[in-house]
Amino acid sequence: QNGVMSGLMQMLLLKVSAHITEQLGMAPGGEFREAFKEASKVPFCKFHLGDRPIPVTFKRAIAALSFWQKVKLAWGLCFLSDPISKDDVEKCKQKDLLEQMMAEMIGEFPDLHRTIVSERDIYLTYMLKQAAKQIELPRASENDPRKYIPAVVVGVVGMGHVPGIEKNWNSDLKIQEIMSVPPPSASSKIFKFVLKATVFGLLGYGCYRIGHRTVQFVLSMPATQSYLQRLTEVPQQ
């Protein structure tokens, strides 16, 4: 629905999510599910999903990577098998270690960090600031002065986004640029064509092999051979 590359990336990330769930006994994103449950208990509380749409993030991330970076990332995600413990998760809550992990990601995939982390820092900050605007109270008439009350907002975000949100909070943010999806590069088009050709080629070869074996099996059956023999004997008679 969102393109071959985006679909493959989402499948690989689902594999990572399944790996984490298997290792820890709990699925990633539990904080957001908990926030949704808590919001339903608060009268007049509005629950808003404030992250950038996943298809936009995936397409921008894929467009930012070179062909070999895509292969390297896909390879790493396909063969991810490192054990993860709850102690490892607790260690990630330490600010110094979290910054170190972010720095390693920037060093290995700088463009991926920009699209998946930095751009979403801007988007999340923008959405939080929109939600935090003062609420205008209804007026009895147009002559009455405008009265406002502060909005009460609880933002639930991943720890890796907190420094970026703090950094961008006092900036004049525009999100139009980070919402656009760049056209696919030449390497992406070639990779997509090769991938489709490979998939359809394998499907075609598989259908041929299955059909060939099916025909051989049917022809080897005694009933079929007997019927064919009768057909050949009819013209002779």
Side-chain angles (χ1 to χ4, degrees):
Q1 183 179 357
N2 297 315
V4 175
M5 292 302 298
S6 293
L8 289 173
M9 182 67 71
Q10 192 157 355
M11 287 172 62
L12 289 174
L13 291 177
L14 285 172
K15 178 182 179 297
V16 174
S17 176
H19 173 69
I20 295 172
T21 303
E22 182 183 3
Q23 294 284 316
L24 299 178
M26 55 184 179
E31 66 272 34
F32 304 116
R33 289 187 286 273
E34 192 65 27
F36 179 76
K37 287 194 294 184
E38 291 298 320
S40 64
K41 301 175 185 177
V42 181
F44 308 109
C45 178
K46 293 181 180 179
F47 184 85
H48 181 68
L49 299 173
D51 204 350
R52 184 170 64 178
I54 290 176
V56 176
T57 298
F58 276 173
K59 288 180 180 180
R60 286 186 64 84
I62 291 167
L65 295 174
S66 67
F67 174 77
W68 293 114
Q69 284 179 319
K70 292 172 186 174
V71 173
K72 183 179 179 182
L73 178 64
W75 182 267
L77 293 176
C78 279
F79 295 96
L80 178 71
S81 58
D82 296 336
I84 303 169
S85 67
K86 292 185 179 181
D87 290 337
D88 294 331
V89 176
E90 291 299 321
K91 289 177 183 178
C92 291
K93 295 179 182 179
Q94 300 174 17
K95 185 177 180 182
D96 294 342
L97 184 58
L98 187 64
E99 289 177 353
Q100 180 184 343
M101 291 171 62
M102 286 295 183
E104 290 176 359
M105 182 180 177
I106 294 171
E108 194 166 4
F109 295 103
D111 294 322
L112 194 66
H113 180 275
R114 173 177 55 81
T115 52
I116 290 184
V117 180
S118 300
E119 289 183 359
R120 286 173 59 225
D121 288 346
I122 295 173
Y123 190 91
L124 289 166
T125 307
Y126 178 86
M127 298 304 290
L128 279 169
K129 290 180 74 172
Q130 292 296 311
K133 285 184 176 180
Q134 290 186 328
I135 302 171
E136 183 180 355
L137 293 174
R139 294 181 294 168
S141 67
E142 293 187 359
N143 296 326
D144 291 345
R146 295 178 182 272
K147 293 182 180 180
Y148 298 88
I149 58 171
V152 179
V153 180
V154 177
V156 182
V157 298
M159 289 181 298
H161 291 291
V162 174
I165 291 172
E166 292 175 346
K167 175 185 173 183
N168 291 307
W169 189 260
N170 294 319
S171 304
D172 183 22
L173 302 174
K174 294 179 175 62
I175 62 170
Q176 289 81 5
E177 183 180 345
I178 62 173
M179 290 300 292
S180 62
V181 178
S185 62
S187 61
S188 296
K189 292 179 180 178
I190 293 171
F191 179 76
K192 188 184 294 185
F193 174 78
V194 171
L195 182 65
K196 285 184 177 180
T198 303
V199 170
F200 285 118
L202 290 173
L203 285 173
Y205 179 73
C207 291
Y208 165 76
R209 293 291 297 175
I210 293 172
H212 184 66
R213 289 182 179 180
T214 303
V215 171
Q216 284 184 329
F217 174 74
V218 172
L219 291 176
S220 65
M221 293 175 66
T224 306
Q225 291 182 354
S226 174
Y227 179 73
L228 292 174
Q229 188 176 2
R230 288 178 184 175
L231 287 177
T232 54
E233 289 175 354
V234 169
Q236 293 176 1
Q237 293 175 357

